[in-house]
Amino acid sequence: MNRAFLTAVTTIGIAQLAKVPLAWQQTGRWDWSNVIRTGGMPSSHSAGVTSLATYVGLKRGITSLHFATASMLSLIVMFDAMGIRRQAGIIATEVNDLDETVAKLAESHPPIVHEKREKELEERLGHLPEEVLGGALLGIFAGAFSYALEKPTPGRGLLSWFR
């Protein structure tokens, strides 16, 4: 199997699992649904792409096209997590609140009929900057750790990262 891919996927899994005890620390409640939910600390998307970029940078060198591609992917994913996905989560919160308000209005004004949605929109879609940073730091560590565990390739010392 492709070690770079395996490193990224494993790091995503570790980040998702880490969300459970970190959420417990804040809420005092074990919520295993955090393993499959979006949002929260750390960002698994950020962890996955930075572990990939780190591993590729160490393996191929930071001047390689491979590292440049993985790094651009990382920047786009992390920017998106804090930007568009975060804004979508804020909008979902507003829509859910609006639905409650309209339901209360309908109760106090009988001619108005409102069918409340059975399921609210998911509000935890994006990330706060510190969640993205936490994921990125986890990813850098995981990518470096994966590279360090690999059997050394002859002629691949520290200076080879800059070729």
Side-chain angles (χ1 to χ4, degrees):
M1 170 149 247
N2 183 313
R3 187 171 186 106
F5 178 76
L6 187 59
T7 298
V9 170
T10 301
T11 304
I12 289 169
I14 292 168
Q16 285 300 121
L17 285 171
K19 290 179 182 187
V20 175
L22 290 172
W24 171 80
Q25 196 173 25
Q26 288 183 329
T27 65
R29 198 171 49 96
W30 289 102
D31 184 0
W32 289 97
S33 70
N34 285 316
V35 171
I36 58 170
R37 291 180 71 188
T38 61
M41 172 66 113
S43 165
S44 59
H45 291 87
S46 298
V49 292
T50 55
S51 69
L52 175 66
T54 301
Y55 177 81
V56 168
L58 294 171
K59 180 80 173 174
R60 298 284 186 158
I62 62 171
T63 60
S64 70
L65 179 60
H66 301 92
F67 178 71
T69 304
S71 296
M72 276 308 301
L73 172 67
S74 296
L75 292 174
I76 291 167
V77 167
M78 290 187 288
F79 182 78
D80 181 58
M82 288 186 300
I84 296 167
R85 287 181 56 229
R86 175 125 174 86
Q87 291 301 314
I90 292 169
I91 290 169
T93 301
E94 294 294 325
V95 169
N96 289 338
D97 290 346
L98 182 62
D99 194 41
E100 284 181 32
T101 303
V102 171
K104 287 177 185 174
L105 281 172
E107 287 174 11
S108 61
H109 296 83
I112 299 173
V113 177
H114 175 69
E115 288 186 34
K116 189 162 170 53
R117 287 190 317 269
E118 290 181 29
K119 185 177 179 189
E120 289 190 337
L121 297 175
E122 177 64 46
E123 297 176 2
R124 285 182 25 174
L125 298 173
H127 293 281
L128 299 170
E130 55 268 21
E131 295 168 343
V132 170
L133 178 61
L137 292 173
L138 172 62
I140 290 168
F141 173 78
F145 185 71
S146 177
Y147 179 76
L149 290 178
E150 201 171 39
K151 288 184 180 177
T153 306
R156 297 289 304 173
L158 286 177
L159 295 177
S160 66
W161 296 345
F162 299 99
R163 58 174 188 109

